Amino acid sequence: MLNAPAADQLLYKMMTVDNLLLSIRDGYLHFNRVDHYTDFPGADPNDGVQLPRDLSGNEGVRFEKAPEFSAADYYARSRSRTYACCFSVENSEFIWANYANGCNKGKVCIVFEFGKLRETLNGILQAENTALLYNGARCRQIFNINYGTVSYVDWESHQGNIPYLPNPLAYTYLKGKAFADEKELRVSLSALGMGHFATADSRTMEFPPSLQMGFDFRAAMANGTIRQILRSSDCDGAFLQTELAKIGIAPSPGSDAPQQGPALPKIGE
């Protein structure tokens, strides 16, 4: 259903230097709940929401055994249980200007290879010992993972619920044309939008504004999942290399030249 690029497509993820170092040390990729993208200027308040022309039709569809619950309710609940980690398929001036601002140490762009990233993340979720940690309790893993490029549509006039109601993921991968410069690919984690989830001691599970998925940056750098780390012109390169060295990461010899600004060489094992 989703549009995915070729396996060798490079993906570009902007991060502040502070967030990069924290993510490496603690070993995670950060996912935001799609209805909570309001923490930076220009964020899309309609991320994952039902299209305006779909809403009345969705509200009119009811479940036979739960007539008080509409398809619109289902989509809204699905949205509140869906998380995204966002990348761009282009190393553009737009992403450098608009993302990862506000850190006095500057920003970096992590360059991933899509096919290897997908293989790594799929392997993490399929591992027999994978679990969801909720308030310190180990729970069954409830999320599905998906990958796709975002489609940019005329937000006010586009209709997605004809002739059939869409999969709730369809809304996760639609945005207005005003955001087309993002050239976004997103990885989504989504839980079923029906019923409620509970822990073993019968506590109803709440879905926080963000979550962390375990990810070994060192291994990803060693096996080529992460191809390069680029840095902004105002990045404190000496600080970055010193901090990376403290956690056992150093530039690999003969690394490629960056595409954007003065950059940290390609990172190796």
Side-chain angles (χ1 to χ4, degrees):
M1 183 188 78
L2 300 176
N3 297 314
D8 61 355
Q9 171 71 49
L10 297 183
L11 305 178
Y12 303 90
K13 183 166 185 62
M14 301 300 303
M15 301 178 71
T16 65
V17 168
D18 289 345
N19 283 340
L20 170 66
L21 295 173
L22 187 61
S23 296
I24 295 174
R25 291 189 185 107
D26 291 350
Y28 67 85
L29 280 178
H30 182 86
F31 284 72
N32 269 344
R33 213 171 86 182
V34 295
D35 59 354
H36 276 65
Y37 274 110
T38 57
D39 56 348
F40 61 91
D44 183 5
N46 295 319
D47 198 314
V49 79
Q50 299 163 69
L51 292 161
R53 290 198 64 185
D54 286 4
L55 189 56
S56 62
N58 293 347
E59 288 175 338
V61 177
R62 302 283 164 161
F63 289 82
E64 181 178 4
K65 294 184 178 180
E68 75 287 352
F69 195 71
S70 69
D73 295 327
Y74 171 62
Y75 290 129
R77 185 176 292 177
S78 295
R79 184 187 183 215
S80 71
R81 298 173 176 182
T82 299
Y83 297 80
C85 185
C86 303
F87 307 79
S88 178
V89 296
E90 289 187 7
N91 180 18
S92 65
E93 293 182 6
F94 178 85
I95 65 172
W96 285 90
N98 288 279
Y99 301 131
N101 294 315
C103 176
N104 60 11
K105 297 298 183 183
K107 66 178 75 174
V108 294
C109 180
I110 315 303
V111 184
F112 293 85
E113 185 175 311
F114 171 64
K116 291 182 177 179
L117 177 64
R118 178 175 56 187
E119 181 180 4
T120 297
L121 298 184
N122 285 349
I124 291 171
L125 286 190
Q126 291 169 2
E128 292 182 358
N129 62 347
T130 296
L132 177 68
L133 294 180
Y134 180 75
N135 291 338
R138 187 179 177 89
C139 306
R140 184 172 66 88
Q141 203 289 104
I142 61 173
F143 290 102
N144 294 311
I145 191 166
N146 285 279
Y147 311 80
T149 53
V150 170
S151 295
Y152 300 95
V153 300
D154 188 316
W155 187 254
E156 296 300 326
S157 65
H158 188 76
Q159 189 165 1
N161 63 353
I162 52 173
Y164 306 108
L165 292 178
N167 185 302
L169 270 181
Y171 293 125
T172 305
Y173 288 86
L174 284 180
K175 284 189 174 184
K177 289 182 178 179
F179 300 93
D181 287 339
E182 297 173 348
K183 302 291 194 299
E184 183 181 343
L185 178 138
R186 56 176 37 181
V187 181
S188 64
L189 293 170
S190 56
L192 186 67
M194 299 293 289
H196 298 281
F197 294 92
T199 59
D201 58 1
S202 300
R203 288 178 296 159
T204 299
M205 186 178 294
E206 303 292 336
F207 289 81
S210 63
L211 58 78
Q212 297 173 354
M213 181 177 178
F215 184 79
D216 188 337
F217 276 80
R218 295 177 186 84
M221 292 171 184
N223 65 24
T225 299
I226 292 177
R227 296 273 294 270
Q228 199 172 20
I229 297 179
L230 311 178
R231 71 175 188 235
S232 61
S233 58
D234 63 345
C235 175
D236 189 336
F239 170 81
L240 178 59
Q241 295 204 50
T242 298
E243 293 303 306
L244 289 175
K246 291 178 182 177
I247 48 183
I249 298 173
S252 61
S255 57
D256 299 330
Q259 299 181 42
Q260 174 82 27
L264 197 66
K266 185 177 180 181
I267 298 297
E269 188 174 12

